Amino acid sequence: MRGGKGAPAWAVFVCCACLYALSIGRGFYASDGDVMFQTTAALVTEGTLALPPDPGLPQIVAGQGGRYYSKYDPGLPLLAVPFFVAGDRLAAINHAHRMQIAAIAVLLLPALSAAGAATALYTLARWLFGARRGLAVALSAGLATPLWPYGRMLFAESALACALTVSVALIVRAPARRRTLVAAGAAFGVGLLARASLAIYALPLAWLLAATGERSARKIVERWAVFGAGAAPFAAGLLAHNALRFGEPLRFGYAGESFTTPLIEGIAGLLLSPGKSVLLYAPPLDLAALMGRRFWRQERALAGFLALAWGAALVFYGAWWAWHGGWSWGPRFLVPLLPLSCLPLGLLPARRGWRAALIVALALGAAVNALGVLTDPVAPYTKHSAAGVTDYDAIHWRPGASPLVTAVERLADGQTEPLALFHLSGSGLPRAWTLGVPLAALGGLALGGWKIWGAVKRPGSATAS
């Protein structure tokens, strides 16, 4: 029987959200985040998506009518608008530094998105495997994969992970409910609006929709149509954004960038390179892969979805010129798939050796990704860059130059990153806020952890399918 009460989903969300919020660093760490923040600021303060040209930010590109725009899709800046407004008003009321507080508030968006992905994964895994196993799956994804570092940086990855995980969870839980399928399509649509390349998962999702629920052709087509109806408004918004910027709905902001990496090289880099291997940055996936055959036998629809999704991601991003994701932590482009890829961990045999292996994988993954939280994730790239040229081959393929090695060296030298919520005193906010905000986040982390621990210790919480 599927299900099991276990820890309340809100406790998992609060615990993860507070952890990720407490992990927010000193800034955006990459010009991608700067440009997206500028777009949000322009939307709020000037009511436009246009930006002033900046030779130092090549992500701002020329559009029609002599205007300049972010090359990125509009989803993340749009989602960040209420966070910017809240931060700006808080700063204005307290006569504090408005842009600084607005930036910290906007960084709560990836934190909440990552927490949403972990929570959606937990609800799905709890339903499939029971409470304790569901919690193990969620903790593996939330702590021991790059979802944690990307919960503190203004990249789209955590929002994409949330959109994809929520969409899959809704499809699996209620494939016969039209409203639920519309919501699943809308979740996927929000992800498309944040990054159009999320469309590579449309075919795997079509498989999942076909393999979950009644199998008649009429019912399958109906599910596709209902899901598509949920996604369509957001896809239309994406095309309208392109038309606004460039006058062409199908023209995106990546002119001059293409699929020039030899496919074998890109796939090998994503899976095996010392600097970007997903198996190094997400150790629980090693165990999940060992459960692949068992997962296929028990959860064929989800297993087929994951197989197709990984195939699509490896081929698409493996051939992309920047298969590595640029100046970022780990295999950035694979982050949206990582939460769902932890699902096979729910089928680990209930034996001491397997439990020990899971604990080791979780501990290793948490240690690896804590390095991306406690140190500057772009430091390896600045270290191996000169005259505007980055030695990507050294960073990604030479073990001694790996970002993991650089992070360990910086941590050993005491070069840690300041965590923003603990350094609000220079923002101009009154003491009630500079002390109250980190204390509230720590309190939320403790409350969520206490509720989770209580549920785990409660008799009957280990129910499994």
Side-chain angles (χ1 to χ4, degrees):
M1 180 178 178
R2 296 178 186 252
K5 292 184 178 180
W10 68 260
V12 174
F13 179 81
V14 168
C15 191
C16 290
C18 290
L19 173 65
Y20 300 148
L22 289 166
S23 302
I24 291 172
R26 59 179 168 81
F28 301 130
Y29 292 108
S31 52
D32 303 51
D34 287 333
V35 171
M36 285 188 274
F37 179 75
Q38 287 186 31
T39 304
T40 298
L43 280 167
V44 173
T45 60
E46 301 176 29
T48 180
L49 287 163
L51 299 174
D54 186 342
L57 291 173
Q59 298 95 331
I60 298 177
V61 297
Q64 63 176 346
R67 292 190 168 193
Y68 287 78
Y69 298 91
S70 165
K71 79 175 195 177
Y72 302 114
D73 299 315
L76 206 65
L78 288 171
L79 290 170
V81 164
F83 295 88
F84 184 101
V85 170
D88 182 59
R89 289 184 179 175
L90 173 64
I93 291 170
N94 290 281
H95 306 287
H97 193 294
R98 296 178 69 168
M99 280 298 172
Q100 181 182 349
I101 302 303
I104 294 173
V106 165
L107 282 167
L108 292 175
L109 172 59
L112 295 177
S113 297
T119 306
L121 178 68
Y122 169 66
T123 59
L124 176 58
R126 180 180 63 180
W127 184 70
L128 291 172
F129 311 119
R132 284 189 180 177
R133 288 174 178 264
L135 188 59
V137 169
L139 288 178
S140 297
L143 294 178
T145 77
L147 184 66
W148 180 11
Y150 282 97
R152 67 189 292 270
M153 294 186 285
L154 198 57
F155 284 105
E157 270 60 36
S158 61
L160 301 180
C162 184
L164 189 60
T165 307
V166 168
S167 184
V168 169
L170 290 173
I171 291 170
V172 173
R173 289 294 303 273
R177 295 180 185 174
R178 290 191 176 187
R179 289 184 180 179
T180 302
L181 290 182
V182 169
F188 184 64
V190 170
L192 284 176
L193 198 60
R195 182 179 295 156
S197 61
L198 197 71
I200 65 173
Y201 301 120
L203 178 60
L205 285 168
W207 155 275
L208 184 64
L209 285 162
T212 307
E214 189 177 330
R215 304 294 181 86
S216 70
R218 184 178 65 82
K219 286 294 184 181
I220 291 173
V221 171
E222 182 180 303
R223 291 198 292 273
W224 287 346
V226 173
F227 180 89
F234 300 94
L238 180 67
L239 299 179
H241 179 247
N242 289 339
L244 170 70
R245 294 185 295 172
F246 309 123
E248 301 175 27
L250 296 178
R251 180 181 169 187
F252 294 87
Y254 292 86
E257 302 178 53
S258 59
F259 299 90
T260 55
T261 302
L263 189 57
I264 294 178
E265 177 186 330
I267 292 176
L270 290 169
L271 296 179
L272 303 172
S273 67
K276 287 290 182 176
S277 167
V278 69
L279 301 178
L280 286 176
Y281 283 87
L285 294 193
D286 299 339
L287 281 179
L290 294 177
M291 295 295 107
R293 181 176 295 180
R294 177 178 290 199
F295 192 64
W296 171 258
R297 289 198 301 263
Q298 183 163 323
E299 301 294 341
R300 186 153 298 191
L302 278 167
F305 165 80
L306 285 175
L308 289 170
W310 273 95
L314 290 174
V315 170
F316 185 87
Y317 291 117
W320 185 240
W321 74 273
W323 60 266
H324 41 74
W327 289 34
S328 58
W329 183 254
R332 176 163 69 93
F333 293 137
L334 298 182
V335 170
L337 268 182
L338 297 186
L340 291 166
S341 299
C342 290
L343 279 172
L345 295 174
L347 294 177
L348 283 174
R351 294 197 292 270
R352 183 176 299 175
W354 286 103
R355 286 197 298 268
L358 178 60
I359 291 171
V360 169
L362 205 160
L364 282 174
V368 164
N369 290 290
L371 292 173
V373 171
L374 298 175
T375 66
D376 184 349
V378 303
Y381 298 90
T382 56
K383 179 180 178 181
H384 291 277
S385 298
V389 178
T390 303
D391 189 356
Y392 286 106
D393 283 343
I395 295 170
H396 300 147
W397 294 103
R398 191 187 306 159
S402 167
L404 295 175
V405 173
T406 302
V408 170
E409 292 172 348
R410 292 177 68 84
L411 191 62
D413 290 340
Q415 300 180 58
T416 57
E417 288 297 286
L419 302 180
L421 295 195
F422 295 101
H423 293 80
L424 292 173
S425 56
S427 67
L429 286 174
R431 193 171 180 82
W433 283 98
T434 60
L435 288 178
V437 169
L439 286 175
L442 287 169
L445 181 62
L447 174 63
W450 175 69
K451 292 294 291 185
I452 291 169
W453 178 253
V456 169
K457 298 298 289 183
R458 188 184 306 130
S461 65
T463 305
S465 60

